[in-house]
Amino acid sequence: MASTACFLHHHALTTTSRSSSSQRQVANIKPNQLVCWAQKQAVQEDDGSLVSRRLALTVLIGAAAVGSKVSPADAAYGEAANVFGKPKTNTDFSPYNGDGYKLSIPSKWNPSKEVEYPGQVLRFEDNFDSTTNVAVMVTPTDKKSITDFGSPEEFLSKVDYLLGKQVYSGLTDSEGGFDSNAVATANILETSTPVVGGKQYYFLSVLTRTADGDEGGKHQLITATVNGGKLYICKAQAGDKRWFKGARKFVESATSSFSVA
């Protein structure tokens, strides 16, 4: 018949064998592993057959599988190295819940007390460049829906103060791509009218340039909607140079995550 004997060793073991056909010793060279010995004895069963060596080895393998475990130290290392495939959390953004609205704020942006627009209730800006920022404005309105303002382009014409003002005013020649006597320009690059949670939104992507600008222009993204007699606007922006150096991801994510409760 076949029998197994198991022992837990905490030091390295080596494999040994004996010439006798009646006994074989099997050992694992790894420390802290379960070591089992399987013995085969020539015992006649009732049906006249001997217990096979294969059956004895099967019992050995099964016992070793039950006894093997991942040590706490190994598990801790695996978790730290993400060996076990645990999902990683997104540390680039932090959720922000305001009064009646929510959005995702880039984690490396700081709150700012600067107030630029009417009804501004929030402003965060990049640690290294205040031009890269996001702001939320909430103002009363008699409109029932954002579509009551007209098309996205018509809506923008009613809130064009969001695009900023040129410091210089006066007569100028046609230079740098500007028309005569014009010191600022705004080009709408994209518009859309998404519906989120049954609520209609307007989204606009605008590139503005001013004669006194040093960033080659500003990318300004605007998301707006109407809810409960209030106009909610989220605007994020970045200078053209920083836009193409990585700021685009943060500006787009901030405005696309904006929604009202």
Side-chain angles (χ1 to χ4, degrees):
M1 60 181 296
S3 62
T4 60
C6 300
F7 302 90
L8 186 62
H9 282 251
H10 295 273
H11 59 278
L13 301 176
T14 57
T15 303
T16 61
S17 62
R18 296 178 181 177
S19 58
S20 173
S21 60
S22 63
Q23 186 178 46
R24 173 172 295 182
Q25 179 174 310
V26 180
N28 196 321
I29 63 172
K30 291 185 178 180
N32 199 25
Q33 297 290 326
L34 187 69
V35 180
C36 301
W37 284 270
Q39 294 179 334
K40 176 190 170 195
Q41 298 175 356
V43 178
Q44 189 74 20
E45 299 294 333
D46 293 338
D47 58 358
S49 62
L50 293 174
V51 178
S52 68
R53 179 177 299 178
R54 180 172 298 179
L55 177 58
L57 291 176
T58 301
V59 174
L60 170 63
I61 294 172
V66 172
S68 62
K69 294 181 180 180
V70 178
S71 68
D74 291 339
Y77 169 78
E79 292 171 2
N82 201 34
V83 174
F84 302 143
K86 290 181 64 176
K88 296 181 179 180
T89 52
N90 187 352
T91 57
D92 290 339
F93 297 89
S94 299
Y96 184 94
N97 293 308
D99 185 9
Y101 66 91
K102 61 182 180 179
L103 73 159
S104 295
I105 302 291
S107 300
K108 294 184 179 180
W109 292 15
N110 290 328
S112 170
K113 295 182 179 180
E114 180 180 352
V115 177
E116 290 186 272
Y117 313 109
Q120 181 177 310
V121 295
L122 174 142
R123 175 186 164 95
F124 277 76
E125 62 185 35
D126 189 298
N127 290 352
F128 305 101
D129 176 36
S130 61
T131 300
T132 305
N133 60 70
V134 60
V136 174
M137 285 66 66
V138 183
T139 54
T141 182
D142 58 355
K143 308 297 185 184
K144 302 299 182 183
S145 171
I146 192 70
T147 56
D148 293 338
F149 286 94
S151 66
E153 292 81 3
E154 291 172 326
F155 167 74
L156 182 62
S157 67
K158 295 178 174 65
V159 294
D160 58 356
Y161 58 85
L162 295 174
L163 302 180
K165 294 185 179 295
Q166 165 69 28
V167 175
Y168 172 82
S169 61
L171 300 178
T172 63
D173 293 329
S174 177
E175 295 179 353
F178 296 97
D179 294 334
S180 296
N181 303 323
V183 290
T185 181
N187 297 312
I188 298 176
L189 304 181
E190 179 186 354
T191 65
S192 62
T193 57
V195 176
V196 180
K199 184 72 62 177
Q200 184 76 60
Y201 288 75
Y202 277 175
F203 170 79
L204 300 100
S205 174
V206 183
L207 177 62
T208 59
R209 294 178 59 234
T210 58
D212 61 351
D214 61 355
E215 276 277 353
K218 294 179 183 177
H219 290 264
Q220 308 199 49
L221 307 187
I222 298 171
T223 299
T225 190
V226 171
N227 187 47
K230 296 179 180 180
L231 171 64
Y232 291 82
I233 300 176
C234 175
K235 185 181 87 75
Q237 68 174 34
D240 192 58
K241 294 178 181 178
R242 287 187 175 273
W243 176 267
F244 291 106
K245 290 182 179 181
R248 176 176 183 172
K249 177 182 74 172
F250 300 104
V251 172
E252 289 182 338
S253 295
T255 50
S256 65
S257 67
F258 179 79
S259 65
V260 295

